[in-house]
Amino acid sequence: MTAASGDETGGSAAGYMGEPGADGRFGEFGGMFVPETLVPACQELDRAFRSAWGDPAFRGELDRLLHSYAGRPSPITECENLSQELGLRLLLKREDLNHTGSHKINNVLGQALLAQRMGKTSLVAETGAGQHGVATATAAALFGMDCVVYMGTVDIARQELNVFRMRLLGAEVRAAESGSRTLKDAVNEAMRHWVAVADTTHYCLGSVMGPHPYPWMVREFQRIIGAEARRQCAEILDGSVPDVVVAAVGGGSNAAGIFAGFADTSARLVGVEPAGGAAVGRAVPGIVHGSRSYLMQDEWGQVLEAQSISAGLDYPGVGPEHSHLAVTGRAVYEQVTDAEVIEAFSLLSRTEGIIPALECAHALAWVSRSRAELAGLTVLLNLSGRGDKDVDQMMGILG
Amino acid sequence: MIAANPATAGSGADTSGPWGRLEQALRDRRGAGRKCLVPYLTGGLGNDWLQTVSAVAAAGADAIEIGIPFSDPVMDGTVIQQANDRALAEGATPQSILAAVRGAAADIGVPTAVMTYVNIAHHMGYERFAASLADATVNGCILPDLPLEEVGEWSGCAAAAGVETVLLAAPTASDERLRSICARARGFVYGVGLMGITGVRSELAASATATAARLKAVTDRPVLVGVGVGTPAQAAEVCETADGAVVGSAIVTRMLDGGGPEGVAELVSEFRTAIDAAHG
Ligand SMILES: Cc1ncc(COP(=O)(O)O)c(C=O)c1O
């Protein structure tokens, strides 16, 4: 570890990506907009996380699990072929190589360990692509906890494989049939479930969204991505940092995780949203699922349905810290279309022998489109997951 | 950490009146030795919903909660979710509902409170939303996803417009928190009957009565219990302790089933009769 990389999982970057304010806010975003019935559970979680995160025994146990169970540290792969094709230097942070196939396991192991410390015996989660659901079901199996996962019926249909994996792992998958029947509705159902059973059940939220302390806690559990990458880049780049750090943004957890390692550097931070689910891109603040952040909504404040080829990014909101990073200009948020994503999905498969998840193919789509502007620069891309879950869907599209 | 500051949360302590129209009506009812019945109806549900509001008032409601549908009603069970979805599909908007209420104010006759989720108010802007409620002659407002820590900005705007902000109180809240909530609430204090979402249950939860008792011990404000009060007998039972009951899903079910103004009013009369028979 180099001197600049700081604490492996904790620590806070000066000015950005530190602890939220006393009211759970990142600037004007965040907060705890939940019914009174959920306030005690959120407050209990805040206390428990603070205590655990400051406890070397907890940190040590989590580090051990991340290493021996999830397979961390994940490597950085230098893409020789694709770099040449694009005319830039492309580095991939390989979260696809984690156990269960995505970055989601980092957060889930942290929350499951915390839930156990809090004396909870069950986990409830929402899932979009199914990656967070699979990770939660995995942790529940490991910790001997009961697990219920809510998933929109639209997503159940397009991510059949992950539904089967969750069931195989012993979780109960429940269909969210209200509203748009995707991720946002699965969150609603998980919150409705949680309020009735919060004394025994931890809500294992899958991204940097929701009421305080979730956006902060999930980012801290994902900070490991950025902390490792900072150290690895220092080795690869002779002590310097990449020019650009880019990640796909659904709720924003993989992006927050890798950004956290570089927020205090000169690296340009770029989040990539699907054009049909660009909450930051539209920049209209709203309040749903417990926090104030940018939110896709109609003229009356009804939440709109996101439209994306990727189930994991099919979410009309975004974590509050991303709204703050956008407003302050510390990070910029770009949009790509489904067509560009399909092309990027094939591109990485063909040139590097890595089939990416559709989510992180968004980040690559932006890099590919921006190749002229990025010429000669070093770009670190968070490859948040592997594409196995998407091959069935892509088979239908690519034939 | 987010912690309620009882000192500031209670700074709006309001123990001497004059009360807003909603709170005055409920206090008057209680003063006369009676219990309060506040039905909830989803605004914009079916084209006769406004007649239903008036019919429900005539059937003995002391005040009426009118729901402005929201796309993501996280505190609601399947019945009110369905009502929200249907009303939205039929084109209901905050503006259309408030305009209708304003036009029918004379027919309604009893105080009204709007129940919706905070994003509806936030999107319009708290000041504008509060003004539009006042303009529609709506007396109170309930935003269930706005807890004590977050309510300040809204309740300031509401108070300035003369709108009473009803606050929810959960069974799991500490006595200190209940006190802060009661000090801040206007209109009435809404005791949540159980740890869960709206919907009819086969029995009244023990937490409904217990929460009412704990609230009554710390406030002089009217204490009404809702969520999980689904039958006339359950309403009568909770009124043994509470000053009244809020009834939502049972009534909305009747609306969804096409009960129409008469059918829904008939159900409200049954609640009225049961409550009055037990607490005459
Ligand atoms: C591989 C992968 N990447 C990214 C995401 C999006 O989530 P977030 O923005 O929180 O990283 C998901 C969500 O399912 C995912 O599975």
Side-chain angles (χ1 to χ4, degrees), chain A residues 101-104 127-132 183 206-209 218 222 248-256 310-313 322 357-360 382-386 389-390:
Chain A
S102 82
H103 69 294
K104 298 286 181 186
T127 197
Q131 290 304 97
H132 174 62
L183 183 53
S207 193
V208 286
M209 43 188 255
V218 175
Q222 292 292 3
V249 174
S253 69
N254 86 86
S310 138
L313 303 185
H322 286 292
L358 280 173
E359 288 77 18
C360 43
N382 197 12
L383 201 75
S384 58
R386 62 181 181 232
K389 69 183 173 60
D390 300 313

Side-chain angles (χ1 to χ4, degrees), chain A residues 25 32 188 192 287 292 301, chain B residues 69 71-73 119 122 150 177:
Chain A
R25 293 240 186 344
M32 204 177 72
N188 290 336
R192 291 176 183 130
I287 300 170
R292 182 175 189 277
Chain B
S71 53
D72 295 80
N119 198 50
H122 180 268
E150 302 286 0
R177 188 174 181 90

Side-chain angles (χ1 to χ4, degrees), chain A residues 111-182:
Chain A
Q111 288 200 44
L113 200 60
L114 184 61
Q116 191 182 52
R117 184 179 160 109
M118 293 168 77
K120 309 290 179 188
T121 54
S122 304
L123 299 177
V124 60
E126 82 295 337
T127 197
Q131 290 304 97
H132 174 62
V134 166
T136 305
T138 298
L142 178 67
F143 285 84
M145 298 172 113
D146 293 328
C147 183
V148 172
V149 180
Y150 286 93
M151 189 170 188
T153 46
V154 169
D155 293 334
I156 287 179
R158 62 179 163 178
Q159 300 287 346
E160 259 182 73
L161 215 60
N162 273 342
V163 175
F164 180 73
R165 288 166 84 196
M166 287 185 266
R167 291 190 169 134
L168 190 64
L169 291 160
E172 183 188 342
V173 180
R174 293 192 191 162
E177 317 212 16
S178 57
S180 61
R181 289 170 271 118
T182 61

Side-chain angles (χ1 to χ4, degrees), chain B residues 214-239:
Chain B
R214 290 181 58 216
L215 284 166
K216 292 290 293 173
V218 299
T219 188
D220 167 54
R221 223 175 279 287
V223 171
L224 275 64
V225 172
V227 182
V229 181
T231 65
Q234 290 171 357
E237 187 184 343
V238 82
C239 285

Side-chain angles (χ1 to χ4, degrees), chain B:
Chain B
M1 177 163 102
I2 297 188
N5 181 339
T8 55
S11 66
D14 173 16
T15 50
S16 60
W19 324 108
R21 183 170 171 235
L22 173 61
E23 182 156 346
Q24 190 63 57
L26 301 179
R27 282 178 179 266
D28 287 350
R29 187 61 129 170
R30 182 176 64 182
R34 310 275 301 278
K35 297 291 181 173
C36 306
L37 173 61
V38 177
Y40 163 94
L41 292 86
T42 300
L45 178 59
N47 45 27
D48 55 1
W49 70 272
L50 196 60
Q51 289 95 294
T52 304
V53 172
S54 299
V56 161
D62 294 299
I64 299 176
E65 273 183 34
I66 297 169
I68 294 181
F70 179 53
S71 53
D72 295 80
V74 81
M75 207 183 152
D76 286 303
T78 48
V79 168
I80 295 179
Q81 283 174 44
Q82 226 187 319
N84 271 262
D85 287 348
R86 205 191 282 182
L88 288 172
E90 286 166 1
T93 68
Q95 192 180 48
S96 70
I97 290 169
L98 292 176
V101 171
R102 182 178 191 217
D107 289 337
I108 297 171
V110 300
T112 54
V114 147
M115 168 135 176
T116 189
Y117 286 80
V118 65
N119 198 50
I120 297 293
H122 180 268
H123 190 77
M124 195 181 283
Y126 289 157
E127 243 175 77
R128 251 188 78 207
F129 187 68
S132 69
L133 294 185
D135 182 57
T137 73
V138 168
N139 308 99
C141 184
I142 309 172
L143 301 170
D145 51 348
L146 207 48
L148 188 59
E149 285 78 3
E150 302 286 0
V151 79
E153 194 184 342
W154 158 254
S155 61
C157 295
V163 172
E164 300 161 71
T165 297
V166 174
L167 293 184
L168 272 60
T172 47
S174 65
D175 283 342
E176 185 191 329
R177 188 174 181 90
L178 292 185
R179 246 179 245 116
S180 301
I181 289 168
C182 292
R184 264 248 157 136
R186 298 291 181 271
F188 63 93
V189 182
Y190 191 136
V192 181
L194 50 82
M195 293 300 287
I197 54 177
T198 58
V200 176
R201 315 297 203 278
S202 57
E203 280 177 37
L204 186 73
S207 54
T209 315
T211 304
R214 290 181 58 216
L215 284 166
K216 292 290 293 173
V218 299
T219 188
D220 167 54
R221 223 175 279 287
V223 171
L224 275 64
V225 172
V227 182
V229 181
T231 65
Q234 290 171 357
E237 187 184 343
V238 82
C239 285
E240 283 166 21
T241 317
D243 298 319
V246 177
V247 183
S249 296
I251 287 171
V252 174
T253 299
R254 184 68 64 97
M255 289 178 85
L256 286 169
D257 291 348
E262 298 87 51
V264 178
E266 195 181 300
L267 181 61
V268 170
S269 316
E270 288 169 28
F271 277 93
R272 182 82 259 169
T273 305
I275 291 174
D276 289 350
H279 314 279

